[in-house]
Amino acid sequence: MRFFDAVEYQGFWGSFWDLVWWFLWAFVFFAYLMALFSIIGDLFRDHKLSGWWKAVWIFFLIFFPIITALIYLVARGGGMAERSAQAAQSYREQQDAYIKTVAGSGSSPSEEIAKAKRLLDDGTITPSEYEALKSKALAGG
């Protein structure tokens, strides 16, 4: 009787090293998925690449996934970083513009009163409307 015949199989949770290997492969798989989604997102973010080249990259990502991902990261990795930074900058600018439109003009109460005074001097608004704008600016809203 050999030693391995006497050892009973303990299942998945029975061996510490089986568990370590499982977590290692789970990590590798998760890392691959993150890289794959980053690559696909970068492909569709790149406006300079034609649709045919995008289709070729997607085809090779489906049928030769790991080698294609490595080639893509080496060949276009620098461009990925630039496009990602440009997208983040664009999102930040859009968010800032939205916040400015929601928060109002962003001018101080003195600027609002000066604008209202110019409108009054031009005859665009009446003195009562000027007083209403002035009180609104001083109230902060």
Side-chain angles (χ1 to χ4, degrees):
M1 178 186 238
R2 295 184 333 210
F3 173 74
F4 293 110
D5 292 338
V7 175
E8 181 179 322
Y9 178 69
Q10 298 173 355
F12 177 74
W13 297 103
S15 170
F16 173 75
W17 292 110
D18 287 343
L19 189 62
V20 169
W21 275 109
W22 185 87
F23 276 109
L24 176 71
W25 282 111
F27 173 77
V28 168
F29 180 70
F30 183 73
Y32 167 71
L33 286 179
M34 294 298 291
L36 181 69
F37 290 131
S38 294
I39 290 169
I40 291 172
D42 182 63
L43 276 172
F44 289 105
R45 188 181 303 129
D46 187 5
H47 300 293
K48 295 178 184 174
L49 194 63
S50 73
W52 287 105
W53 280 112
K54 290 177 185 180
V56 168
W57 278 112
I58 294 292
F59 174 82
F60 280 103
L61 279 170
I62 291 171
F63 292 106
F64 306 104
I66 294 175
I67 192 74
T68 305
L70 290 174
I71 291 171
Y72 188 90
L73 292 174
V74 169
R76 296 179 49 91
M80 277 180 82
E82 292 171 10
R83 284 184 291 278
S84 179
Q86 287 173 352
Q89 180 66 27
S90 172
Y91 294 145
R92 188 175 308 116
E93 289 170 359
Q94 291 174 4
Q95 182 181 22
D96 290 345
Y98 174 73
I99 290 171
K100 286 179 183 177
T101 60
V102 171
S105 62
S107 58
S108 67
S110 60
E111 292 172 345
E112 292 292 324
I113 294 171
K115 287 178 190 176
K117 179 68 173 156
R118 278 192 301 262
L119 291 173
L120 177 64
D121 292 342
D122 292 340
T124 308
I125 61 173
T126 65
S128 62
E129 291 172 325
Y130 169 73
E131 291 300 325
L133 288 172
K134 182 177 165 183
S135 62
K136 182 179 177 185
L138 291 173

